[in-house]
Amino acid sequence: MVFAKKSLGQNFLMHARIAERIALSAKLPADAVVFEIGPGTGMLTRELLKLSGKVIALEADHGLFEKLQSDFASEIASGRLELISGDIRTFDISSLPKGYALVANIPYYLTGEIFRMFLESKNQPSSMTLLVQKEVAERIARSKKDSILSLSVKAYGTPKYEFTVVRGAFRPAPKVDSAVLTVRDISRKNFASKQEEEKFFALLHAGFAHKRKFVRKNLVEVGLPSGDIPEKARAEDVPLAVWLAII
């Protein structure tokens, strides 16, 4: 029996059909190299191995790491699965091959950090397919109101809400439903330089600093330009194109 560790934010996906649907949502080329964060019991890993050329899986739980070594011994021996013991927060993304795809059921508490790590990395993934909180997926891909996270994701790629995964599909069941979110066409095409990229995030953080204030006032207070942002607009109502036009 495998027990989830609360400290690692573990909620194991228990339905093979859902795992298959997640892997299919990634739309992987047959020769794709996939990076999976937290393979856990290996439910999603098995499906990814069917659809890709190679899977590189990073597991922080030492007990699960040893079990995965045993369960996937033949795949590891053949080189189709590379299993790494470690924490994603200290993992060197530059060590991954160029053009890799990120597919994972990630811990809820690391969602924002994982998006930042991979989208802002010099070695960006070609695509991301992540199982996240339903509310987060909706906020990024469906909401008319933006946040720093949703604007950050949209600045680098095209997010899409794929499908909902009910809480009962996991063990232990989380308190909320989840959803699969994909991000495709990932690049830095919106930024002509590192300076523009840094300015964009400085603008976002300043604009969202005081949610009750109008965004122009937030930007002026710290000496940043406000461009064509309407005088009485809130940060959440300003579309990505307007933020990008300021940089």
Side-chain angles (χ1 to χ4, degrees), residues 19 21-28 34-37 44 48 101-106 115 125-132 160 162-163 179-184 186:
R21 193 174 173 191
I22 294 169
L24 289 169
S25 293
K27 297 181 179 177
L28 301 166
V34 180
F35 181 57
E36 183 185 9
I37 302 167
L44 178 57
L48 293 173
L102 174 62
V103 186
N105 167 24
I106 60 176
F115 272 114
S126 59
S127 65
M128 302 172 75
T129 304
L130 300 178
L131 192 50
V132 300
K160 181 184 177 185
E162 296 289 349
F163 63 94
V180 173
L181 179 81
T182 56
V183 185
R184 305 193 194 283
I186 297 173

Side-chain angles (χ1 to χ4, degrees), residues 203 215-217 219-220 223-230 238 242-243 246:
L203 285 166
V215 65
R216 285 181 72 95
K217 189 169 184 182
L219 295 174
V220 170
L224 290 171
S226 54
D228 293 328
I229 294 176
V238 179
V242 175
W243 290 105
I246 302 173

